[in-house]
Amino acid sequence: MRISALLICRNARSFIETCLNSVRRQTHPPDEILVVDGNSQDGTLEWLHQQPDIRVISQLGHGIANARNTGILAASGDCIAFLDADDSWEPEKLARQYGLMSQNPNLQAVTTLLTKSNDPDQAEWVAMTPSGFLVNRTVFDQFGLFNEEWVVASDHEWFIRTIRQGLTYEVIPVNLVLKGIHDQNLSIIKRKRYRSEMMAIMRQQQSL
């Protein structure tokens, strides 16, 4: 079972090195590392092109959903592990997920727990965010890609939609993801848009 690590970034020069190094430190390394760059202007793209172990894809469309879809379509792995450029993984993250999926062939996805970088108490949360998930790529054939209609909340819409339609997933009850929280998070910058999209998504799902 081949694993594609899929990173997405835009103007992430201050985060991307830590993020990528967390992928490189995996005890079960991915078979390929793809980075989809959304037209970075801060030196991110130039730095990425100096890294010999990654494949850089320049995003032709717009938005986070398009970036993830671009990477999914380009990936060669049987499973895809998502990672946003401001997040990072603990070294055993992929190994724990790979082991669980190998033992359970009907399992379609695995996530873990996460902590947030701005939380001094290091509270643990279920990682219902792409950076937590290892996903069998057949899931996208069954349930579809990320909906590019949603600017901020496309990942939440995807999780709600696929779980309602029968996605089989498990949570490893161990903190294996650090979620970067800062004033450049899209859900913070566009807080009002995020709330309105989530309300629209919930109404849409309730009407199905």
Side-chain angles (χ1 to χ4, degrees), residues 29-93:
D31 296 278
E32 66 174 356
I33 304 173
L34 293 84
V35 181
V36 179
D37 178 79
N39 192 31
S40 292
Q41 303 295 317
D42 67 342
T44 298
L45 190 57
E46 291 78 7
W47 184 84
L48 288 171
H49 283 305
Q50 296 173 9
Q51 310 307 307
D53 58 340
I54 66 175
R55 178 182 170 194
V56 180
I57 302 170
S58 293
Q59 183 182 355
L60 299 180
H62 301 282
I64 292 177
N66 177 264
R68 291 194 176 111
N69 291 341
T70 297
I72 292 166
L73 295 175
S76 65
D78 305 296
C79 293
I80 297 174
F82 296 94
L83 185 57
D84 293 346
D86 49 1
D87 300 341
S88 59
W89 293 334
E90 292 297 324
E92 67 272 23
K93 192 255 189 190

Side-chain angles (χ1 to χ4, degrees), residues 2-46:
R2 287 173 49 83
I3 297 176
S4 297
L6 173 55
L7 285 62
I8 66 167
C9 66
R10 184 177 186 273
N11 293 332
R13 185 63 187 89
S14 58
F15 309 116
I16 190 65
E17 192 166 355
T18 298
C19 174
L20 183 57
N21 283 339
S22 80
V23 178
R24 289 167 168 159
R25 291 196 300 267
Q26 292 299 298
T27 57
H28 184 106
D31 296 278
E32 66 174 356
I33 304 173
L34 293 84
V35 181
V36 179
D37 178 79
N39 192 31
S40 292
Q41 303 295 317
D42 67 342
T44 298
L45 190 57
E46 291 78 7

Side-chain angles (χ1 to χ4, degrees), residues 69-133:
N69 291 341
T70 297
I72 292 166
L73 295 175
S76 65
D78 305 296
C79 293
I80 297 174
F82 296 94
L83 185 57
D84 293 346
D86 49 1
D87 300 341
S88 59
W89 293 334
E90 292 297 324
E92 67 272 23
K93 192 255 189 190
L94 291 184
R96 296 285 294 267
Q97 292 179 312
Y98 178 88
L100 187 56
M101 290 188 75
S102 297
Q103 296 167 13
N104 299 273
N106 294 325
L107 195 59
Q108 295 176 300
V110 180
T111 191
T112 73
L113 303 183
L114 64 77
T115 56
K116 299 177 181 180
S117 64
N118 66 342
D119 182 3
D121 297 326
Q122 295 188 317
E124 296 180 340
W125 305 77
V126 175
M128 296 305 291
T129 181
S131 292
F133 271 81

Side-chain angles (χ1 to χ4, degrees), residues 120-193:
D121 297 326
Q122 295 188 317
E124 296 180 340
W125 305 77
V126 175
M128 296 305 291
T129 181
S131 292
F133 271 81
L134 178 67
V135 182
N136 191 308
R137 69 172 304 124
T138 60
V139 166
F140 301 102
D141 297 325
Q142 182 177 353
F143 300 114
L145 297 170
F146 291 90
N147 189 335
E148 298 180 22
E149 171 187 355
W150 307 110
V151 175
V152 187
S154 60
D155 54 343
H156 296 287
E157 188 277 335
W158 189 87
F159 290 130
I160 293 169
R161 168 164 45 94
T162 58
I163 290 169
R164 283 177 64 102
Q165 294 178 11
L167 177 74
T168 59
Y169 74 98
E170 289 192 20
V171 179
I172 296 174
V174 179
N175 171 31
L176 298 174
V177 178
L178 177 64
K179 180 69 179 173
I181 304 296
H182 48 84
D183 59 7
Q184 295 303 306
N185 285 130
L186 191 59
S187 59
I188 294 176
I189 295 173
K190 297 187 176 183
R191 185 180 289 110
K192 185 176 181 180
R193 177 68 179 262

